[in-house]
Amino acid sequence: MTQTGHHRNINAGNKNNIMQNTSKDHAKLAQQFNKDEERVDWHDETLWWIRQKRDKAAHGIAEWEALRETASQIKNNVLANLSGYLIQFEENLKANSVIVHWAADAQEHNEIVYSILQKHGVNRMMKSKSMLTEECHLNEFLEEKKIEVIDTDLGERIVQLAEEPPSHIVLPCIHKQKEEIGQLFHEMLGTPAGNSDPQFLTSVAREHMRDTFLTRKVALTGVNFAVAETGEIVVCTNEGNADMGVHLADVHIACMGIEKIIPLRKHLGYFLRLLTRSATGQPITTYSSHFKKPRKGKEMHVVLVDNGRSVHLGKADFRNSLKCIRCAACFNTCPVYIRSGGHSYHTAVAGPIGSILAPNLDLKKYADLPFASTLCGSCSNVCPVKIDIHDQLYKWRQVLVKEGYAPAAKKIGMQGMSFTLSSPSVYHIAGKAGRWFMRNTPFILNNDLNPWYKQREMPEPPKQSFTDWYKKNRKK
Ligand code: SF4
């Protein structure tokens, strides 16, 4: 019932290929996803259904906008005083007998986790969902060191068995249909072929995990909120897997980005009310677990990770994206995300917020992502901490053009448009020429080199331009 070493190695390699695929950009990967029309429709409808649940939950609270504003201001305060809150948090962690580690980047984070495992002579670890460890590629790093990592969140475990990265930060396997999961369980866990009943598959997964929970000495969790005032961390799950893992293990390692801080315990109320309503439309997560100190004879570690965050903090136009509480509401409402799938973003955190965070880590590698948006603003409208997401995407585009990372075709196209639209006479001549070509040589436009034509019929050219019509009619 457990993974083989062989399988784990393939797993690491395949995941790396998907996540570090630099030869394909978002548009090309989205095109691949779009080949399966049925999947796109279903993905689109499912995420829209979740968006509607979010709307219902938000509208059910009269003070929703006040909650958003308060949470946004609390996070603004955190970002303005981050170093002070981090020092306070560290002092309180130490006072609670928690061992504190600081990691400047992903490599250091991975080395720290590995050193803790080595210290305890452990080569098997369980992990509850943590997007930070996805960002740092911890699983792949540990698997190379022959450490077995089992993800205990059901969705995460499914994508782990399928040798894929998560495609969504809250719903990691949302791109998979239940029949595919049934087939996967059949191949990997030996369930009867053709059985994709969700209740049955969940019971099998529970059985499969039980051995993991009972035998692993180290449990790693993510962190949703870190309270500076008390030195406690809060982890939100719907499955209780973080609690189960930590309570049965001797060592708890909690890994968090440095922006997860909130100043006071009483602030939790605002964030917990916003988080799950925004994520899935639930009033609250099934488990909001507080971890403050190790039990007698046990160990608790907190790893505080920068990995580009302090650089991001220094960028005035982009710093407030560090307020993100990873609810994924911006994913579920984004017309591009829901029709292109999470893997098309080729980064751990996909969607609109991922398209802001990733270019900070590597501008060249993620230069395509700020363009994966219609800039419709729906993401900013639903964000529970009021991040101006679409404005920041637009600002990244300007940076990319200035730095010379915009795609050459787009750059040439934009320069052409700028030249044409800046001069009425050039615009007039171009319009005339365009209409003539559309009428007399349609094959020049109606071919596969024209991306617009691939999906749509080209319009009939009008007999005259608006300017001509206006000139004629104004004289009357
Ligand atoms: S940017 Fe806002 S909406 Fe998107 S995941 Fe973060 S908190 Fe949620």
Side-chain angles (χ1 to χ4, degrees):
M1 296 286 269
T2 52
Q3 274 184 294
T4 65
H6 172 64
H7 169 67
R8 288 198 312 274
N9 288 339
I10 298 171
N11 188 351
N14 193 45
K15 247 178 131 174
N16 272 331
N17 286 344
I18 296 178
M19 299 310 290
Q20 293 167 10
N21 195 340
T22 50
S23 63
K24 290 178 182 173
D25 67 358
H26 176 269
K28 284 186 189 148
L29 292 164
Q31 216 169 10
Q32 270 176 28
F33 184 76
N34 272 266
K35 280 185 187 152
D36 186 346
E37 277 186 34
E38 203 189 315
R39 186 186 302 276
V40 177
D41 287 348
W42 162 83
H43 191 259
D44 180 351
E45 280 159 21
T46 310
L47 287 168
W48 187 248
W49 175 67
I50 295 168
R51 156 77 212 262
Q52 286 174 319
K53 279 175 67 186
R54 172 260 168 217
D55 290 349
K56 214 170 148 198
H59 295 153
I61 293 190
E63 66 276 24
W64 182 254
E65 286 307 315
L67 272 180
R68 283 179 80 207
E69 182 58 29
T70 310
S72 169
Q73 292 303 341
I74 292 170
K75 280 285 184 181
N76 280 339
N77 173 281
V78 168
L79 295 181
N81 303 286
L82 188 57
S83 56
Y85 286 129
L86 284 168
I87 291 168
Q88 185 192 6
F89 181 57
E90 182 187 32
E91 282 168 2
N92 286 324
L93 283 171
K94 286 181 174 165
N96 296 338
S97 310
V98 177
I99 303 165
V100 183
H101 309 261
W102 295 88
D105 54 26
Q107 181 69 23
E108 213 177 324
H109 162 265
N110 294 346
E111 297 282 0
I112 289 168
V113 174
Y114 181 50
S115 70
I116 299 170
L117 298 173
Q118 274 187 315
K119 181 182 140 195
H120 289 274
V122 165
N123 62 1
R124 303 192 307 170
M125 179 184 85
M126 67 185 136
K127 182 160 85 67
S128 80
K129 193 154 145 276
S130 146
M131 288 317 296
L132 177 74
T133 57
E134 292 292 336
E135 174 188 320
C136 296
H137 302 291
L138 177 71
N139 281 21
E140 295 86 331
F141 174 88
L142 291 179
E143 283 161 10
E144 271 168 26
K145 307 260 183 223
K146 307 277 178 276
I147 305 273
E148 182 196 55
V149 182
I150 300 253
D151 279 300
T152 56
D153 171 274
L154 180 56
E156 281 276 329
R157 185 64 182 139
I158 290 168
V159 288
Q160 192 182 31
L161 288 173
E163 305 171 7
E164 291 173 8
S167 69
H168 187 285
I169 54 176
V170 172
L171 312 156
C173 65
I174 191 68
H175 58 290
K176 286 203 172 300
Q177 287 175 288
K178 65 180 186 342
E179 291 73 20
E180 292 172 288
I181 297 169
Q183 178 61 23
L184 181 71
F185 274 36
H186 169 63
E187 285 164 21
M188 305 301 295
L189 305 178
T191 56
N195 194 338
S196 57
D197 174 51
Q199 213 163 351
F200 168 70
L201 296 179
T202 311
S203 69
V204 171
R206 193 177 292 136
E207 195 69 31
H208 165 62
M209 292 302 184
R210 190 151 298 158
D211 168 65
T212 308
F213 284 123
L214 290 171
T215 53
R216 303 310 189 266
K217 288 198 164 69
V218 177
L220 187 147
T221 68
V223 172
N224 287 89
F225 304 103
V227 186
E229 175 193 33
T230 57
E232 75 197 289
I233 59 161
V234 178
V235 183
C236 302
T237 69
N238 271 333
E239 296 164 25
N241 51 315
D243 314 57
M244 184 94 105
V246 171
H247 293 150
L248 290 168
D250 295 336
V251 181
H252 174 194
I253 308 172
C255 300
M256 59 176 271
I258 52 175
E259 81 286 11
K260 293 286 176 188
I261 291 278
I262 59 168
L264 303 174
R265 197 179 219 211
K266 70 176 182 190
H267 292 154
L268 270 173
Y270 298 102
F271 292 100
L272 291 175
R273 292 184 79 194
L274 286 165
L275 177 65
T276 328
R277 283 186 173 88
S278 300
T280 55
Q282 291 167 257
I284 195 154
T285 30
T286 313
Y287 300 89
S288 299
S289 312
H290 296 234
F291 299 100
K292 194 170 175 187
K293 54 172 74 171
R295 281 167 297 138
K296 217 167 163 219
K298 312 283 177 190
E299 249 178 57
M300 181 173 166
H301 297 254
V302 169
V303 189
L304 291 132
V305 184
D306 185 325
N307 203 33
R309 286 161 175 79
S310 48
V311 174
H312 203 100
L313 189 66
K315 293 178 179 158
D317 282 343
F318 304 106
R319 68 183 313 205
N320 95 19
S321 50
L322 290 172
K323 295 195 295 187
C324 177
I325 56 170
R326 303 286 193 269
C327 71
C330 58
F331 291 47
N332 305 341
T333 198
C334 176
V336 175
Y337 175 85
I338 61 183
R339 291 181 187 85
S340 59
H343 292 158
S344 62
Y345 291 77
H346 59 98
T347 177
V349 178
I353 187 65
S355 301
I356 296 173
L357 299 174
N360 180 57
L361 286 174
D362 188 333
L363 193 57
K364 190 175 172 202
K365 185 172 167 188
Y366 299 114
D368 54 323
L369 294 186
F371 295 95
S373 167
T374 60
L375 302 185
C376 65
S378 185
C379 45
S380 307
N381 284 341
V382 296
C383 178
V385 285
K386 291 188 144 183
I387 300 172
D388 52 340
I389 305 169
H390 71 294
D391 284 332
Q392 292 190 35
L393 289 168
Y394 179 53
K395 283 176 187 155
W396 265 131
R397 292 184 188 185
Q398 293 168 33
V399 173
L400 286 161
V401 170
K402 255 191 220 143
E403 300 286 329
Y405 289 127
K410 193 163 281 191
K411 222 169 143 188
I412 294 167
M414 286 297 139
Q415 279 165 353
M417 285 308 283
S418 162
F419 175 71
T420 310
L421 295 173
S422 326
S423 155
S425 51
V426 176
Y427 176 72
H428 194 66
I429 294 165
K432 233 177 184 169
R435 285 192 298 280
W436 189 91
F437 280 119
M438 281 172 86
R439 230 180 340 260
N440 299 300
T441 55
F443 55 90
I444 291 188
L445 293 168
N446 300 352
N447 62 54
D448 276 354
L449 293 173
N450 175 2
W452 186 264
Y453 178 71
K454 276 187 204 164
Q455 303 285 332
R456 308 163 187 87
E457 291 297 324
M458 295 302 285
E460 283 289 318
K463 289 198 175 65
Q464 60 184 350
S465 70
F466 173 73
T467 316
D468 295 338
W469 177 89
Y470 186 70
K471 272 184 196 158
K472 219 183 281 169
N473 286 280
R474 191 176 54 167
K475 277 177 194 155
K476 276 180 190 168

